[in-house]
Amino acid sequence: LGVVFRTALDATGATLAAVDLRHDGAAWTPDGARHPLPALEPGAFNRGLTLSADGRRLAVSTGVRGLVGPPDGPSVARWKWPPYKLAGAVVSPDGTLVAGADNALVVRVRRADDGKAVAEFRGHTGEVRVLAFSPDGTRLATAGADQTVLVWDVPGRRRAAELTGNVDTVFDLAFSPDGRRLASAGKDHTVRVWDAATGRPVAVLRGHTADVHKVAFRAADELVSAGVVRDGRIEFRVWRLATGEAGEQ
C-alpha cells in the first residue's frame, strides 16, 4: 500500500484492514495472509472502513457505493445510494447490519447480506461525519458538522437521545464496552462523555492542544484519544473518568 488513509481493527486485534490515498486496500487475517480489497470503482475515494467485532465482516464505502463481505473473500453485498453522496459506512459488531449517512443528511441502515433497507433516520442539520454502533448493535450514534450527537434505537426505528455540548464539528464517537457510555472527539479540542441511555453529561475532558480526531474506550472508565498538532506530532491522552485526569504519551 501507499500512504495509509484509513485503518480498521477487530475487537480481538487479530484482523486488520487498511486503505491508502491511491484507493487501494488490503486486509490481514489471523493466519498472517494479506488479502487485497476489491475495488468499488476506478479512482473512488474511500470514505468509510470498518470491521465487525469478530473480524468476519468488513464494510468499505466510497462517495456513492459500498460493499460488505469477509476480509478474505468476495463481497456478499454491494449497494449504491444515488443520487446522494455517502459520507461513510459502519458495520454492526455482529456483522449483520451496515449503516451509512449521505449528503441529504439521512442516516440509512441496511442488512449486510442483501442490502435491504432496515431503517432511515433524519434529524441532523449538518454533514454527518461519523457513525458508531453500540456493542449489542441495537443503537447507532451519529454526529458531525452540526455539533450534535444523535443516538438512534435501530430496532425501534426512533431517536433515543440527543447529546449536546460540543461547540464545533465532531470527528469520532465510541461506545464503552458495556454500552452504557458514549464518548465524542472533536474540533473543539475536547473529549466529551455522556450516559448513552439518558444523554446526561458525564465528563468534559480538556487537555488536547489541537483537534481531537480519535477516541476509544480501553475499559468502562478509561479512554484514549488522539489528535495531530500543528507541527505534525500525534498527541495522545489517556483519561481516567473517575478522576478526570489525563496522561500524555
Side-chain angles (χ1 to χ4, degrees):
L1 297 180
V3 177
V4 173
F5 177 66
R6 291 187 187 277
T7 60
L9 191 68
D10 73 356
T12 68
T15 301
L16 171 69
V19 292
D20 65 18
L21 292 177
R22 299 177 306 184
H23 322 301
D24 294 325
W28 290 263
T29 45
D31 60 2
R34 180 184 186 276
H35 308 275
L37 299 183
L40 290 172
E41 51 197 303
F45 190 68
N46 293 295
R47 293 173 176 265
L49 178 70
T50 60
L51 279 162
S52 60
D54 62 8
R56 295 181 180 179
R57 288 289 176 88
L58 178 143
V60 60
S61 64
T62 66
V64 295
R65 302 176 191 271
L67 64 84
V68 179
D72 57 352
S75 60
V76 296
R78 289 180 178 243
W79 69 89
K80 189 176 182 181
W81 259 310
Y84 306 113
K85 288 186 177 180
L86 187 64
V90 60
V91 66
S92 62
D94 65 1
T96 62
L97 300 174
V98 60
D102 59 36
N103 64 354
L105 309 183
V106 180
V107 177
R108 306 171 193 269
V109 182
R110 298 188 177 196
R111 290 197 317 215
D113 285 341
D114 56 14
K116 184 177 180 180
V118 172
E120 290 187 1
F121 301 116
R122 293 172 172 83
H124 282 288
T125 59
E127 180 188 9
V128 179
R129 299 285 297 270
V130 60
L131 307 91
F133 274 104
S134 62
D136 64 3
T138 63
R139 289 167 295 163
L140 176 70
T142 57
D146 64 5
Q147 308 169 19
T148 301
V149 180
L150 298 179
V151 181
W152 310 97
D153 174 355
V154 176
R157 297 180 176 86
R158 65 178 183 88
R159 185 190 298 187
E162 180 175 337
L163 314 180
T164 60
N166 289 290
V167 296
D168 212 322
T169 301
V170 178
F171 292 134
D172 200 20
L173 295 168
F175 279 93
S176 60
D178 59 9
R180 296 175 60 185
R181 289 174 172 171
L182 177 64
S184 73
K187 193 174 177 63
D188 63 2
H189 303 186
T190 68
V191 173
R192 296 173 186 267
V193 184
W194 293 269
D195 183 299
T198 67
R200 179 182 63 84
V202 173
V204 180
L205 306 175
R206 294 183 172 91
H208 278 280
T209 60
D211 302 354
V212 189
H213 291 277
K214 289 293 181 181
V215 64
F217 279 87
R218 294 176 64 179
D221 61 351
E222 190 172 281
L223 303 94
V224 60
S225 56
V228 179
V229 296
R230 291 184 180 275
D231 62 5
R233 290 183 297 110
I234 299 177
E235 181 181 63
F236 289 95
R237 292 274 192 274
V238 178
W239 307 92
R240 294 169 181 82
L241 292 180
T243 63
E245 296 177 350
E248 184 177 358
Q249 297 185 357

